[in-house]
Amino acid sequence: MIPVIGLAIGIAAGLVLQPTVPAPLQPYVPIAIIAALDAVVGAARAMGEKRFDDRVFVVSFVSNVLIAAAMVFLGDQLGVGSQLSTGVIVVLGIRIFANAAAIRRQIFHA
């Protein structure tokens, strides 16, 4: 429940405060959001399986965002930023959908 509450608070704060992102950091925002959502959906799955650990969640959240941002930065430096960004989004998207499917199976016992 804590990850969902944190996500809701973050979304509300973003809508109210409407922060601006500096132009050099804009390519990293979508990747960071997808990486953070991967951690949140993974935490929701762990909660449903009664094995949620807040320390694991925080480490997963921070490391996902940092690793994804580092990969995009490396791709930019190599001149293949958009291709590497797409790869990161695909991999994290697969993980999100796999966790969502596991949550759905837990809820509907199917």
Side-chain angles (χ1 to χ4, degrees):
M1 191 63 169
I2 293 172
V4 175
I5 293 170
L7 180 63
I9 291 171
I11 290 172
L15 291 173
V16 171
L17 299 174
Q18 296 183 354
T20 57
V21 178
L25 297 179
Q26 287 179 355
Y28 303 102
V29 173
I31 302 300
I33 290 171
I34 296 294
L37 282 175
D38 175 49
V40 169
V41 175
R45 178 181 182 179
M47 287 180 72
E49 295 174 353
K50 306 280 192 270
R51 57 181 183 89
F52 176 77
D53 182 1
D54 56 346
R55 291 180 186 184
V56 171
F57 170 70
V58 170
V59 169
S60 172
F61 188 90
V62 172
S63 65
N64 276 5
V65 171
L66 291 177
I67 291 169
M71 289 177 69
V72 173
F73 177 76
L74 179 63
D76 285 343
Q77 298 306 306
L78 295 173
V80 293
S82 62
Q83 293 90 342
L84 201 52
S85 295
T86 301
V88 169
I89 288 174
V90 167
V91 169
L92 292 175
I94 290 169
R95 287 173 40 109
I96 289 169
F97 282 112
N99 283 329
I103 292 168
R104 186 184 63 244
R105 284 191 299 272
Q106 287 174 344
I107 292 171
F108 296 112
H109 305 291

